[in-house]
Amino acid sequence: MGYLKRMKKVIFLLMLSLQLCLSAVGENRIWQRGYTFLNFLEDYQIPLRLYYNLPSGDKELTAEINAGVEYQILKDSEGKLVQALIPIDEEIQIHIYRDHYKYKMTFTPIKTFQKEQTLALEIMDSPHQDIFRFSKDLALANEFLNTYKNSINFKREVIKGDRLAIIYTRKYRFGQFFGTPSILASMVETNKKQNFLISYNGGRFYNLEGKEVAGFLLQMPLAKIYITSKFSKARRHPVLKTIIRPHFGVDFRAKIGTPVYAAGSGRVISAGWKGGYGKAVEILHEGGLRTLYAHLSKIDRKMRPGIYVRQGQMIARSGNTGLSSGPHLHFGLYKNNRPIDPLGSIKTTRSKLEGKKKQEFLKNMQRYKKQIQDELEQLNSKTRSIQTQGGAVEDTSLEDR
Ligand SMILES: [Zn+2]
């Protein structure tokens, strides 16, 4: 090939790739309620074997995509999908991409930026409205309300001029809020009396004396418990550097037909087929808590979205539906759509910290209390709210180790 010809070819290829880049269209979309991973593949004319060839654990994970979550797609000029990024929790996402006209799928970490922040303000309308007005963070306002749900009636007890303060960590993705903030400590006045809540023990809340104030009380969903698989979060394989898949729940061995009980009182939000989870029931409880019961054989006929169930009420019978390796109950627990370990959370009484745990708690508590008081001191008649941005918090969950 002559030099000129070769140059022409290079230029042609450059132009082509440039054109591809320019004509590829990125788009952010919202995952709709009832939309499944298979629907997604169909909509973009991706062969369904991409799903059917997945290992069963991965198939379960595709049923974890939450309605309302924002995902990204990139299409070429013909409207064909080039790649898609679909979050399944706050840490990992499904990555679908075209590679030599074949679609491939993998799980990748979600890159977020995490910061510790403080908000202090004087209440003008209501804690919820004021938090939202000053922070523009609806999830933070909701989370604050959830935290005090069991201890304070804001409408009756909080008066205009009372103050509140929150120390929390916030995740950002593409410069916007991502997921739900974690409240580390908070204070709200009720007629000038200060009410502190300090987070300890993985998201449970205690007063200054180390007595649990706002904790969720759940019971086991089966009468007899035998664990076959525990809860785990996504991790990076120490050698291969690939993502080790998480297991967003606990598996209990259970013969087909074993009664399944509601772990807490609440409202049924879904009852029916849920992708790899087979027949499943989801119940929404107080405080942004949700439970999932999967691979069921039979769902009680009364279980329909909107129906209220009591704690301990029989809701279904266990089975082996969906992608299940044998008869068992998969039990999942979520706080604000974030999967948490059910075993660490099931408690029937509120606890009181003692011994070493109490010492550790008191140390944390004093630091948070001082930080909140310093923040409140800066409030005066002119400054009704302050928001302090702390340093970046390293998010190490999926980092190389
Ligand atoms: Zn499971």
Side-chain angles (χ1 to χ4, degrees):
M1 224 190 300
Y3 172 75
L4 207 67
K5 240 181 173 177
R6 227 167 35 217
M7 268 318 279
K8 264 188 186 163
K9 195 176 172 200
V10 166
I11 288 172
F12 173 77
L13 281 175
L14 268 173
M15 299 269 290
L16 189 75
S17 56
L18 190 69
Q19 204 184 353
L20 258 176
C21 283
L22 287 175
S23 59
V25 190
E27 221 179 290
N28 284 6
R29 296 201 162 182
I30 303 292
W31 197 267
Q32 299 300 318
R33 185 161 290 286
Y35 196 59
T36 65
F37 187 66
L38 279 172
N39 293 150
F40 175 86
L41 297 181
E42 277 166 2
D43 284 354
Y44 291 97
Q45 285 134 42
I46 299 169
L48 300 187
R49 62 170 179 274
L50 191 73
Y51 171 79
Y52 289 113
N53 290 345
L54 290 175
S56 65
D58 287 2
K59 281 189 190 132
E60 268 196 354
L61 284 179
T62 63
E64 285 283 345
I65 306 165
N66 284 308
V69 86
E70 197 178 71
Y71 63 101
Q72 284 80 42
I73 53 169
L74 187 70
K75 293 188 285 190
D76 64 17
S77 56
E78 288 158 27
K80 284 234 163 84
L81 190 81
V82 179
Q83 66 165 331
L85 289 169
I86 311 167
I88 62 164
D89 76 338
E90 291 183 8
E91 285 173 2
I92 58 167
Q93 58 193 344
I94 294 170
H95 182 200
I96 297 172
Y97 58 98
R98 206 168 59 191
D99 181 17
H100 294 93
Y101 298 97
K102 255 184 101 177
Y103 283 103
K104 291 186 177 165
M105 176 174 157
T106 172
F107 289 82
T108 59
I110 296 176
K111 290 239 179 330
T112 53
F113 172 73
Q114 198 169 236
K115 245 186 339 186
E116 188 178 308
Q117 284 167 241
T118 321
L119 174 70
L121 60 85
E122 191 184 312
I123 298 161
M124 312 289 285
D125 296 314
S126 76
H128 191 271
Q129 277 172 285
D130 294 326
I131 291 170
F132 180 64
R133 179 173 332 124
F134 289 117
S135 67
K136 300 280 174 283
D137 191 342
L138 187 61
L140 178 67
N142 290 339
E143 188 60 4
F144 184 81
L145 230 61
N146 279 339
T147 311
Y148 281 97
K149 199 160 223 159
N150 293 332
S151 51
I152 292 174
N153 182 329
F154 285 145
K155 260 198 193 126
R156 268 195 232 138
E157 298 175 57
V158 172
I159 59 165
K160 197 177 163 187
D162 275 339
R163 301 169 302 169
L164 67 81
I166 320 170
I167 305 172
Y168 60 104
T169 52
R170 194 55 173 116
K171 278 186 185 156
Y172 295 85
R173 187 174 181 227
F174 305 130
Q176 288 179 332
F177 296 135
F178 182 68
T180 307
S182 299
I183 294 182
L184 305 172
S186 62
M187 192 289 297
V188 60
E189 288 174 344
T190 44
N191 207 352
K192 306 294 169 210
K193 178 182 168 267
Q194 298 195 323
N195 305 274
F196 283 88
L197 285 183
I198 313 289
S199 170
Y200 186 69
N201 258 351
R204 303 184 79 92
F205 286 92
Y206 297 81
N207 67 14
L208 297 181
E209 287 77 48
K211 216 176 140 219
E212 190 169 7
V213 180
F216 30 94
L217 304 177
L218 294 176
Q219 70 170 59
M220 287 287 186
L222 296 173
K224 265 194 200 152
I225 293 300
Y226 185 89
I227 298 157
T228 51
S229 177
K230 286 190 176 170
F231 174 92
S232 62
K233 300 202 101 185
R235 284 165 294 143
R236 205 181 270 283
H237 192 286
V239 182
L240 300 174
K241 303 286 176 202
T242 51
I243 298 290
I244 299 176
R245 308 292 195 260
H247 181 224
F248 288 153
V250 183
D251 290 345
F252 299 120
R253 190 160 73 194
K255 268 194 249 144
I256 292 178
T258 309
V260 175
Y261 307 105
S265 302
R267 265 180 213 291
V268 173
I269 43 172
S270 79
W273 201 263
K274 192 176 165 64
Y277 282 128
K279 278 190 190 168
V281 175
E282 285 177 290
I283 302 175
L284 189 65
H285 311 278
E286 264 193 6
L289 227 58
R290 170 164 60 94
T291 49
L292 164 73
Y293 314 79
H295 307 305
L296 304 168
S297 60
K298 231 175 157 181
I299 297 174
D300 188 292
R301 283 174 54 207
K302 292 192 290 294
M303 298 301 131
R304 300 236 172 86
I307 290 291
Y308 182 83
V309 291
R310 281 168 295 105
Q311 182 170 52
Q313 186 178 336
M314 188 181 139
I315 53 167
R317 288 186 183 274
S318 73
N320 194 25
T321 54
L323 296 143
S324 177
S325 50
H328 77 282
L329 174 74
H330 171 101
F331 176 57
L333 177 64
Y334 302 79
K335 196 175 178 222
N336 300 314
N337 288 332
R338 190 191 294 159
I340 54 177
D341 185 359
L343 294 182
S345 316
I346 288 184
K347 286 194 177 170
T348 46
T349 52
R350 302 199 197 287
S351 71
K352 215 179 141 195
L353 297 172
E354 271 159 27
K356 260 196 183 147
K357 279 206 151 184
K358 184 158 185 186
Q359 294 310 314
E360 186 188 55
F361 168 82
L362 291 176
K363 241 169 86 187
N364 289 349
M365 179 277 282
Q366 265 141 13
R367 180 164 52 88
Y368 286 137
K369 192 180 169 199
K370 187 177 181 309
Q371 201 177 331
I372 282 179
Q373 258 144 3
D374 290 348
E375 211 75 24
L376 289 172
E377 260 168 41
Q378 295 176 51
L379 290 179
N380 56 48
S381 56
K382 282 204 188 92
T383 331
R384 291 237 157 83
S385 90
I386 2 168
Q387 198 161 11
T388 315
Q389 309 273 333
V393 180
E394 199 85 49
D395 185 5
T396 54
S397 48
L398 286 173
E399 294 296 312
D400 301 343
R401 258 168 233 160

